[in-house]
Amino acid sequence: MKPSPANLELSTEAMLRMGEACLRAVVKHIAELPHSPRSNLENIIEIAKSLREPPPETGADFDTLLRFLMERVIPVSINTAHPAYMGYIPGGGLFPSAIATFLSAATNRYVGAWYAAPAAARLEANVLDWFAELMGYPKTARGIMTTGGSLANFSAVVAARKHILGDDIARGTLYASDQTHHSVMKAAMLAGIPERNLRLLPPDKNFRAIPELFEKAIKGDLQKGMQPFLIAGSAGTTNTGAIDPLNDLADLSKKYSLWYHIDGAYGGFFNLCDEGKRKLEGIERSDSMVLDPHKGLFTPYGCGSLLVKHGERLHRAHVLSADYMQDQFTPEGEINFTEHSPELSRSFRGLQVWLPLKLFGLQAFRENLAEKLRLTQWMYQRFLEEPGFECLAAPDLSVITFRYRPQRGDIETFNRRLLENIVKSKMLFLSSTLLNGAFVIRVCILSFRTHQAEVEEAFKIIKATARELEKTTIKLK
């Protein structure tokens, strides 16, 4: 008689013990965040190499594994949950969303097909309906939760391609500013649009799209026998946070009967607050838009979304069935997510948005987003007032691009060293980009943990580091 396989089911006591140990570790980590390094990137190549190992044949103690993760793995990173993390696009990582992810994974409900978990599917659909209402979309809108903006952009391009081009995709052309997130172009290529058909057009001096250049390119392609099918606008670019002229691009798409897509992954949720809504006027005129809750709603990474104004177009682009799926059904008024996205197997992803929205209410998020706009303007004014600093554009949302002009030496070399010194201090984390070929440093203020005190401290660090570096540079000369 063959021996029984190892028992993978844990006892009630073991599950409680593991859960409590994990919860204590996480709460301790969050409580100590303000005093922890903003980044820990020293010797990372050696550390990564040291962690290579063969697959384990036998098990290990959970407490040992938990200590290993919390002490040797998680700290070796950019501390994106820290209130002084202002690089790239912060999100924050709401604790209730983490609890929601645990509940979703532990109960393991399949939310791809409506009939497999109809109540869970309805809650996720509620979240998407709320998004549509907040963005000014009609009741015909449908959406999907994704892992992020990249996959959301992919499904948007697929829907546009299907609706405008059908099967004749070789001549399809797409139009975007060269400040548009590269995931839009990547999505187009993955959707079968030839790379040579992507028109990336230069922006204006404020790094916003220029509609006149779009129209010129569209006319030129029409004369060549190409088939323009999509205009992509940005509701907050990653580089500078610039908002494209959304209404003008909407007029252009209507004039030439093109699909109008807006990448609002970073900036779209600012539409919740009054100032953001004013800045994003025209966002509701798009045919589709991407929104990332793991940015503007502060949820943990891995939570994006797509809205399509006429939901049936999203459905037509993705629906496909098989004999083994014949048991499922979807009543009128409900949504089967497998027929609206590339995914079949998927978790109860919308729970990590539903729970914090229900727990805190929309007003809490409105106030936090409005605060980020105020904090950005405060820091921007400090840069304008402080000798030596210059900003390359006025911020539309919560990104500031700046550099320091030293009295001597090469400006790019100085600013590269300035950023390097700021990050090495572990007191603040910023990032960089290139604008018109020039190296600049980026500040992005978006975490729900970042408030006036953190922004004031960040500016002090930037200012002091620049002054010290300039002194050192002058002495070396």
Side-chain angles (χ1 to χ4, degrees), residues 373-419:
L373 295 177
R374 290 196 302 271
L375 294 176
T376 302
Q377 286 300 316
W378 182 91
M379 181 176 274
Y380 174 62
Q381 289 301 318
R382 301 292 82 71
F383 280 123
L384 295 182
E385 295 165 2
E386 191 64 35
F389 287 97
E390 63 179 7
C391 296
L392 275 73
D396 281 344
L397 293 173
S398 67
V399 174
I400 305 170
T401 52
F402 74 92
R403 61 183 177 180
Y404 187 85
R405 284 193 170 273
Q407 297 177 31
R408 299 180 184 177
D410 179 67
I411 186 171
E412 178 165 327
T413 301
F414 183 94
N415 281 279
R416 287 184 182 275
R417 290 182 60 195
L418 174 58
L419 177 61

Side-chain angles (χ1 to χ4, degrees), residues 314-333:
L314 181 65
H315 181 261
R316 283 201 306 269
H318 292 85
V319 65
L320 198 64
S321 191
D323 291 343
Y324 54 81
M325 298 172 70
Q326 66 180 358
D327 295 336
Q328 69 172 332
F329 66 96
T330 310
E332 186 176 352

Side-chain angles (χ1 to χ4, degrees), residues 101-147:
T101 302
F102 170 73
L103 288 170
S104 172
T107 57
N108 200 31
R109 291 299 182 263
Y110 175 71
V111 188
W114 177 88
Y115 91 114
R122 174 29 53 193
L123 290 192
E124 187 161 317
N126 283 351
V127 168
L128 292 160
D129 289 346
W130 298 341
F131 288 177
E133 181 179 341
L134 292 168
M135 297 300 142
Y137 268 17
K139 296 293 185 182
T140 57
R142 289 287 181 272
I144 52 173
M145 303 297 299
T146 68
T147 57

